[in-house]
Amino acid sequence: MASSDDQYRLNSRQRREIDQIGQKFQFNLAPPPSSLDEITTGPKFVSLTDFIEQFDWEYSDLDIVDRREIKHLAAENFWPYIGKSEVPLEEPGHLSAVTVAKGIEYGVNLLGCFIEGYVGSNQALGKEAEAHFGKMTQAALEFARGSFATCSEEHNWYEHFQLLMRHPVINAGVQIAAWHHYRLPEDLLST
């Protein structure tokens, strides 16, 4: 039996697969600074692998996504293997660390699509709101919810995103990675 210190250690296969996911997107999962001082003194970069390993969560060794060798989560494979599961997504030990990494990647990609769709729709929030990442993200999510309202759960990207956000590691990872990836310079000063 592993000691509590080793409970959340990733094995070499998991590390390699998560590193490959992180290299595609260059996820930065360092906590956003909460003050101007932390901009210069806080951690500058935390890899996807380190973030998942440091998060106090129980992962399975393998799950259905790993056994089916699904390389990345996407609209066509999310619902059959994750969304329709009888076990809640947020259940500790249900998903593997590799699938959680894929969930973070899919969540950030979905959020990016929602932001692009919102911006492309010419629905203006006003300059002040558009300069604030949190307000922009909320508007993009509302836009996505309306856009996918008539879709089945299987094809509803907004539903996929909402389901992903129930998992605490995926939720935190998507929020932090998206903040680093999509933030505007003004967001640094508003923290």
Side-chain angles (χ1 to χ4, degrees), residues 53-142:
E53 190 166 51
Q54 292 167 7
F55 209 99
D56 187 19
W57 191 255
E58 182 183 341
Y59 305 102
S60 68
D61 184 45
L62 292 172
D63 60 26
I64 189 155
V65 173
D66 301 316
R67 288 191 295 275
R68 297 251 205 201
E69 298 180 0
I70 296 170
K71 296 295 181 205
H72 64 278
L73 293 176
E76 62 272 3
N77 61 30
F78 179 81
W79 196 255
Y81 301 113
I82 302 288
K84 285 177 48 176
S85 173
E86 292 180 14
V87 179
L89 178 79
E90 63 273 19
E91 179 82 23
H94 175 57
L95 297 180
S96 74
V98 175
T99 299
V100 168
K102 292 172 184 176
I104 292 170
E105 177 186 34
Y106 185 43
V108 171
N109 288 338
L110 285 173
L111 184 57
C113 290
F114 299 159
I115 290 170
E116 288 178 26
Y118 171 74
V119 169
S121 73
N122 293 322
Q123 293 183 20
L125 272 176
K127 294 287 183 203
E128 187 176 308
E130 287 183 2
H132 188 272
F133 178 71
K135 291 177 184 173
M136 171 68 89
T137 302
Q138 191 59 42
L141 288 172
E142 288 299 318

Side-chain angles (χ1 to χ4, degrees), residues 33 131-134 179 182-191:
H132 188 272
F133 178 71
W179 185 87
Y182 295 108
R183 72 173 192 252
L184 300 169
E186 294 83 359
D187 290 319
L188 284 174
L189 302 175
S190 67
T191 57

